[in-house]
Amino acid sequence: DSGVTQTPKHLITATGQRVTLRCSPRSGDLSVYWYQQSLDQGLQFLIQYYNGEERAKGNILERFSAQQFPDLHSELNLSSLELGDSALYFCASSGGLAVNTGELFFGEGSRLTVL
Amino acid sequence: SQQGEEDPQALSIQEGENATMNCSYKTSINNLQWYRQNSGRGLVHLILIRSNEREKHSGRLRVTLDTSKKSSSLLITASRAADTASYFCATVPAWGNEKLTFGTGTRLTIIP
């Protein structure tokens, strides 16, 4: 158990809909990262937050947004969903600002299926 | 975009044999990390090696890093059925954005 909690574990929705994925980082971790894993794109970094502030941005679509709340949990919002958004979405956390000093702790992921 | 490319894409070996996976990357790095992913599960950190290190051990794992060739290898000795998983290398760039970028992964199957 990594200590990172993601909900929901599975989600099935239709094209054009909007969903919210939730992540609770390990106790005390200030950084939260979101990754998307699909068969054709592999693991893609989406966005990082540190103590409530956006820190780094990757290949995140404009239809997607995220935020980190004062209690450090984070949410990833996916809107106007398309079939290609079907993927496993991972949240990870770390203690520090940068990944230079250590590992990321991953949640079990939220599997999104868009029909 | 992928920073690292693992080789081979898939590997099947008998239990007890050693497994070697390779990772090549494109830009200068601060560190390189290896992660394991059991089917459909979250990733688990295995080991981190910094750019000024050449070799690192952790239990049955041995990682090497050759920055001149921009490559790393992960050796799992005396493999076990429980080692069946996908293995990913991930790099942190030497400067600029500090995001961790994952490679394409090697699917390792240990045959009992």
Side-chain angles (χ1 to χ4, degrees), chain B residues 25-78:
Chain B
Y25 55 91
K26 297 173 185 172
T27 60
S28 296
I29 60 170
N30 175 286
N31 71 71
L32 183 145
Q33 304 176 30
W34 285 90
Y35 286 78
R36 183 187 75 226
Q37 183 182 31
N38 287 64
S39 183
R41 305 291 300 276
L43 284 81
V44 176
H45 181 266
L46 296 176
I47 198 164
L48 180 153
I49 187 165
R50 302 192 184 283
S51 60
N52 61 352
E53 298 176 310
R54 291 296 168 258
E55 189 169 311
K56 210 160 180 183
H57 297 255
S58 176
R60 294 183 296 112
L61 305 180
R62 172 179 169 252
V63 168
T64 62
L65 179 64
D66 187 335
T67 53
S68 66
K69 294 181 180 177
K70 291 187 169 61
S71 68
S72 173
S73 68
L74 170 67
L75 168 67
I76 303 174
T77 60

Side-chain angles (χ1 to χ4, degrees), chain A residues 86-106:
Chain A
S86 295
L88 200 49
Y89 291 84
F90 286 108
C91 169
S93 73
S94 69
L97 173 64
V99 291
N100 294 347
T101 57
E103 65 191 276
L104 297 189
F105 295 86
F106 280 80

Side-chain angles (χ1 to χ4, degrees), chain A residues 49-89:
Chain A
Y49 279 84
Y50 175 79
N51 203 20
E53 300 290 327
E54 183 182 303
R55 172 65 184 171
K57 216 165 185 177
N59 302 320
I60 188 166
L61 301 171
E62 285 190 10
R63 299 183 286 108
F64 296 0
S65 65
Q67 54 183 327
Q68 185 179 28
F69 295 87
D71 67 352
L72 301 177
H73 92 271
S74 177
E75 291 181 358
L76 178 67
N77 300 296
L78 315 175
S79 62
S80 302
L81 286 168
E82 302 174 0
L83 295 178
D85 298 328
S86 295
L88 200 49
Y89 291 84

Side-chain angles (χ1 to χ4, degrees), chain A residues 30-50:
Chain A
L30 299 178
S31 277
V32 169
Y33 309 77
W34 286 97
Y35 283 84
Q36 179 195 56
Q37 186 177 37
S38 60
L39 284 175
D40 55 344
Q41 293 289 322
L43 265 161
Q44 297 286 326
F45 169 74
L46 296 178
I47 198 163
Q48 177 202 357
Y49 279 84
Y50 175 79

